[in-house]
Amino acid sequence: MQHCQSFLVPSRTAGNERYNFLQSLVNPPENMKELQDILTDFLAIKSRGQTAVLATVVKVKGSTYRRPGARMLMTQDGCMTGSISGGCLENDVFEHAKQVMASGEPTLVKYDPEVAEEIIWALGLGCNGAVHVLIEHLDKQLTFIAECLNNRRSGVLATVFSVDGQVQAKVGNHLMLDPDKNMTTEIADSTLNQAIITDAQAVLQEQKSKVQTYQLPAGRVEVFIEFIKPPTPLLIFGAGLDAIPVVRFAKELGWHVTVVDHRPTYLTPEKFPNADNLILTSAEAAHKSLLLEDNTVAIVMTHNYFHDRELLKMLLPSAVNYIGVLGPKRRTAELLQDLHFIGMFYTQEQLNRVYAPVGLDIGADTPVEIALSIIAEIQAVLAKRTAGLLRDRIGAIHHPIDEPDVQAIQSRQQHLNV
């Protein structure tokens, strides 16, 4: 949900270091779409001297529309960027946000139909699950997230959202950890701090957010430990007309998109205004200009047999997570056979990363339909899903984040009480 699209970015003549830094966060070379919208509007709000607060889903239970980490930026005049539900909670959250704007104190709002059944009727909740939303003033947390995305590095943001007892921690306290294990914390309790650091390091390793409860002698604390994932790097080899909607759909997901081609008349900013990088190079020399890392996905769509063969020769031995090849299955088999004849041998694991023909079977025919099928397939692969119909799926749509974490929480409570 983005209600405010008329924000004005301040002139570069503002000329101060903080503006220059924030400007780099608004239009970084990579960003996830919802966070990019929030950062863009945050800068505009700051330039106008307005007050804004951030609502974050920090805990859910059961069936909910959004998962922990969903965010919504709100201003004094009711503008909202992002969303925390399918539309049923936003207005009520804004009423609480006005109180936070006035008091300056963060607050946790709980929507739990099991506790208060009248919520269902008052708000028209479409899901039966419980949602806990932390509303707080913007501070270091948003800057930390932006730095992670801008630097294309992962990180962990731990947010205290519930405190019972006399623990030296406050709702809205944060702990931030980067891949180099540099840590910044606002939490005064050293025992709690160390426990959160240990869990934050595990989240960084596992790349999976979690909600954790800590039972200390002085009280009980709940913390949302969030993995900040940098945007997915997408390499598109081929700057034909059919690459244009692929770029557009990928940017809607906030991916970092690079288009590679050897033809300067095809590879232009006018043709690909949304692409993050345009790299003019031959297929033979492409390896000199690219980082082929394990979080990268690639699409080969040059429409040239010899260029595709050279690109597969480069991509197959690399760490790239996904290799989509446009064209019939027989054509890709011939490409691999040609490479075999010149002495290139590949493991089954490497071949399993090749998706050819690229895309899901949705009856695509036009370039836009084909682009949709390609991006949907990549999303399914990244999410480790089969891309079948949801009506045929057995079990919940989302991973039940609360159930397995409860067991881990119980064991940690025993450890901390020793």
Side-chain angles (χ1 to χ4, degrees), residues 3 27 67 148 199 228 274 278 299 302 321 354 410-411:
H3 293 167
N27 296 307
R67 309 299 285 171
C148 290
D199 286 330
I228 308 299
N274 297 322
L278 301 178
I299 306 170
T302 71
N321 188 27
V354 177
Q410 291 172 345
S411 63

Side-chain angles (χ1 to χ4, degrees), residues 100 103-108 134-137 160 170-173:
V100 174
S103 68
E105 293 297 323
T107 187
L108 180 71
L134 178 66
I135 306 172
E136 57 186 333
H137 274 279
V160 175
K170 297 179 179 180
V171 171
N173 279 172

Side-chain angles (χ1 to χ4, degrees), residues 307-324:
H307 292 166
D308 287 0
R309 186 176 64 187
E310 195 66 33
L311 291 168
L312 280 177
K313 181 180 176 182
M314 173 187 70
L315 291 170
L316 274 165
S318 75
V320 168
N321 188 27
Y322 169 101
I323 306 168

Side-chain angles (χ1 to χ4, degrees), residues 375-395:
I375 295 300
E377 179 181 70
I378 297 174
Q379 174 62 29
V381 171
L382 294 177
K384 296 181 173 59
R385 293 295 185 93
T386 59
L389 301 177
L390 284 177
R391 72 174 184 180
D392 297 333
R393 179 176 173 80
I394 299 175

Side-chain angles (χ1 to χ4, degrees), residues 3 14 64-65 68-69 74 89 113 122 210 224 273 315 323 339 363 370 412:
H3 293 167
T64 60
Y65 188 79
M74 294 167 285
L89 299 180
K210 67 188 298 184
F224 174 42
L315 291 170
I323 306 168
L339 293 174
I370 293 170
R412 177 162 296 283

Side-chain angles (χ1 to χ4, degrees), residues 288-354:
K288 299 177 183 179
S289 306
L290 301 171
L291 286 176
L292 303 177
E293 300 176 314
D294 59 2
N295 63 336
T296 302
V297 295
I299 306 170
V300 178
M301 48 192 309
T302 71
H303 300 277
N304 182 293
Y305 185 90
F306 300 105
H307 292 166
D308 287 0
R309 186 176 64 187
E310 195 66 33
L311 291 168
L312 280 177
K313 181 180 176 182
M314 173 187 70
L315 291 170
L316 274 165
S318 75
V320 168
N321 188 27
Y322 169 101
I323 306 168
V325 184
L326 191 69
K329 185 180 297 185
R330 183 183 64 183
R331 180 178 183 272
T332 301
E334 291 174 354
L335 287 167
L336 294 173
Q337 189 175 37
D338 282 357
L339 293 174
H340 179 75
F341 285 154
I342 63 173
M344 304 295 295
F345 298 94
Y346 304 106
T347 66
Q348 189 59 48
E349 187 278 330
Q350 290 171 330
L351 293 174
N352 287 341
R353 292 186 282 115
V354 177

Side-chain angles (χ1 to χ4, degrees), residues 125-162:
L125 291 181
C127 303
N128 296 325
V131 183
H132 294 190
V133 181
L134 178 66
I135 306 172
E136 57 186 333
H137 274 279
L138 303 178
D139 199 1
K140 298 177 182 178
Q141 78 276 24
L142 198 57
T143 299
F144 175 74
I145 292 173
E147 288 175 339
C148 290
L149 301 182
N150 193 45
N151 295 326
R152 302 178 69 178
R153 288 162 59 87
S154 57
V156 176
L157 173 64
T159 303
V160 175
F161 64 87
S162 178

